């Protein structure tokens, strides 16, 4: 995600890190480099100019803070400006879910619009799955793209894959199918209805009339402009055209998993004033994320996205497992059995490459050289150990190593390497513990909810000191994020 631009920013940070003080001259240099990076990402000229003007002004005006390196302070200025440029108030609820204009007197009507190929049909399905999972809704999808017969088929496949009803009538008209579907939804007790409308290759009057009519007749509660995040200013032009004709309530930027240059995501809100509500991050039905400006800014700026990484882990490892693991780590009981479990959980989270990209500074790593099969090999090695060996890895001698290697079809060196990295991991955990970071991790896992954290920990009977750590952790989550950022 945003590979090119985040590499560019990493270079800017690296150059700055050599300076012991921030002067007008080196700010000028950095701002110039940022300007080039943004223009390359196809951000519109006006947005770039406003952005760099603000950054310059803030950076020059900022008081030098004690204990903060000048480079770090500059990064913060850029980060904050970028968040400001992309964020909108009141689009996320306290649980981190997308706030949507649900209504209770009739099914909530959501309308998707945008150019052909922008991802409307795919996102219609993703959104339905999101609403099912996060709000326990019972949505129905409406095939309102009657341009091509295949469009209806495509939505039906999508609906089937997520077990959501699709309403279609191939012989009808787009407007009528939406009206009839609304009636159907009312009768069948569907509480959300999503219109998958037709797009064109370019904005044209016919298309606009069609979607306008649907909107004027069905009064949608949310009108989402779906936009291909790989494009830059072109996307923004069409966003403007749709915004002039329809009561847009937000934008969804798709395909950010590709080599998106980031232009659209940085420009859409600045130009239309409409909030970005979701982003699409894969072709699959669960490839949708609520848009958090600070996280996306972190990714663009090459600072990684620890919060999303933790949340991703959270959706795989449940809270109980996480607490159990944490306690084992605290008590130094973590062994290769747990390691194996971890590996399997990591594998469930998707390709290593994608995960690593969320880690701060990863834009600098040779990520393309990562061997995705590596985890399989590690798993095979641990599997060919006896349970006792997994619990007491320190007791694995040479002949045991040979037996394990043979059993796994790997070399003895690989077994050695695994045991060594396991040791290092234990050391690292020790280090984290010493810095009080484990508590902070736990704080994130429990959604930063102090009461819930204290309750969980009271139940699990951890020591008082650790509770104090947690209490502190709840307060300085920002500090945690800072610690995980690139060290300048
Ligand atoms: N990688 C990726 N592909 C996507 C995403 N969203 C949509 N696509 C793909 O983009 C193509 C066009 O999507 P579609 O939903 O048919 O667009 P529509 O014409 O607006 O309905 C399809 O091949 C989708 O699989 C996304 O977030 N990531
Ligand atoms: Mg479609």
């Amino acid at each position: 995600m945003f590979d090119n631009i985040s590499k560019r920013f990493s270079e800017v940070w690296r150059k700055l890190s050599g300076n012991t003080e921030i002067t007008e001259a080196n700010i000028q240099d950095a701002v110039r480099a940022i300007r080039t990076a943004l223009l390359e990402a196809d951000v519109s000229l006006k947005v770039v100019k406003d952005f760099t003007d603000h950054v310059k002004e803030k950076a020059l005006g900022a008081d030098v803070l004690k204990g903060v390196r000048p480079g770090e302070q500059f990064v913060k200025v850029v980060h904050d400006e970028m968040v400001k440029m992309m964020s909108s108030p009141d689009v996320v609820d306290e649980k981190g879910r997308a706030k949507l204009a649900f209504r209770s007197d009739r099914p909530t009507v959501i309308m998707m619009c945008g150019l052909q190929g922008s991802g409307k049909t795919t996102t219609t399905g993703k959104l339905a799955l999101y609403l099912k999972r996060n709000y326990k809704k019972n949505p129905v999808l409406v095939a309102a793209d009657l341009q091509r017969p295949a469009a209806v088929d495509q939505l039906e496949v999508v609906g089937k894959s997520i077990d959501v009803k699709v309403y279609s009538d191939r012989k009808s008209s787009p407007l009528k199918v939406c009206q009839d579907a609304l009636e159907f939804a009312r009768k069948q007790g569907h509480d959300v209805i999503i219109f998958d409308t037709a797009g064109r290759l370019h904005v044209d009057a016919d298309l606009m009339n069609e979607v306008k009519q649907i909107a004027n007749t069905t009064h949608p509660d949310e009108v989402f402009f779906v936009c291909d995040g790989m494009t830059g200013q072109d996307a923004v032009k069409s966003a403007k055209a749709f915004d002039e004709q329809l009561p847009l309530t937000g934008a969804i930027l798709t395909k950010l998993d590709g080599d998106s240059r980031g232009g659209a995501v940085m420009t859409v809100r600045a130009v239309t004033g409409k909030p970005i509500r979701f982003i699409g991050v894969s072709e699959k039905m669960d490839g949708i994320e609520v848009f958090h400006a600070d996280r996306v800014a972190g990714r663009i700026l090459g600072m990684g996205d620890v919060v999303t990484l933790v949340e991703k882990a959270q959706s795989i490892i449940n809270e109980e497992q996480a607490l159990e693991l944490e306690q084992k780590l605290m008590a130094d009981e973590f062994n290769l059995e747990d390691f194996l479990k971890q590996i399997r959980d990591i594998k469930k989270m998707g390709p290593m490459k994608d995960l690593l990209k969320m880690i701060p500074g990863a834009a600098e790593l040779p990520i393309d050289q990562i061997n995705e099969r590596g985890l399989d090999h590690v798993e095979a090695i641990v599997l060919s150990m006896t349970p006792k060996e997994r619990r007491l890895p320190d007791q694995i001698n040479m002949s045991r190593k040979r037996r394990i290697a043979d059993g796994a079809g790997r070399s003895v060196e690989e077994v050695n390497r695994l045991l060594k990295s396991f040791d290092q991991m234990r050391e690292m955990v020790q280090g984290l513990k010493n810095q009080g970071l484990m508590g902070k991790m736990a704080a994130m896992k429990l959604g930063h909810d102090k009461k819930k954290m204290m309750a969980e920990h009271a139940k699990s009977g951890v020591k008082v000191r650790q509770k104090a750590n947690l209490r502190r952790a709840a307060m300085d989550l920002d500090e945690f994020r800072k610690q995980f950022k690139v060290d300048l």
Side-chain angles (χ1 to χ4, degrees), residues 115-122 124 145 148 151-152 154-155 196-199:
L115 295 182
Q116 191 172 316
S118 59
K120 291 179 297 302
T121 306
T122 315
T124 299
D145 178 357
R148 303 159 295 139
V152 180
Q154 189 194 352
L155 190 68
D196 176 29
T197 67

Side-chain angles (χ1 to χ4, degrees), residues 113-124 126 145 148 151 154 158 196-199 226 228 230 253-258 279-284 287-288:
C113 62
L115 295 182
Q116 191 172 316
S118 59
K120 291 179 297 302
T121 306
T122 315
T123 310
T124 299
K126 289 179 178 179
D145 178 357
R148 303 159 295 139
Q154 189 194 352
V158 162
D196 176 29
T197 67
V226 182
D228 184 334
M230 308 260 284
L253 293 190
T254 63
K255 308 182 200 179
L256 293 192
D257 50 315
I279 54 176
V281 294
S282 87
E283 281 185 74
K284 291 200 223 122
I288 188 166

Side-chain angles (χ1 to χ4, degrees), residues 215-234:
N216 289 341
T217 320
T218 61
H219 308 292
D221 305 292
E222 297 279 8
V223 182
F224 291 143
F225 173 68
V226 182
C227 158
D228 184 334
M230 308 260 284
T231 52
Q233 294 183 60
D234 280 349

Side-chain angles (χ1 to χ4, degrees), residues 101-108 186 191 221:
F102 291 122
R103 49 195 295 164
S104 44
D105 54 331
R106 63 151 206 200
T108 304
R186 268 207 191 95
D191 42 15
D221 305 292

Side-chain angles (χ1 to χ4, degrees), residues 26-41:
N26 53 39
I27 284 187
Q28 291 286 11
D29 283 348
V31 167
R32 209 172 297 125
I34 290 173
R35 187 185 139 83
T36 313
L38 293 176
L39 288 175
E40 259 176 28

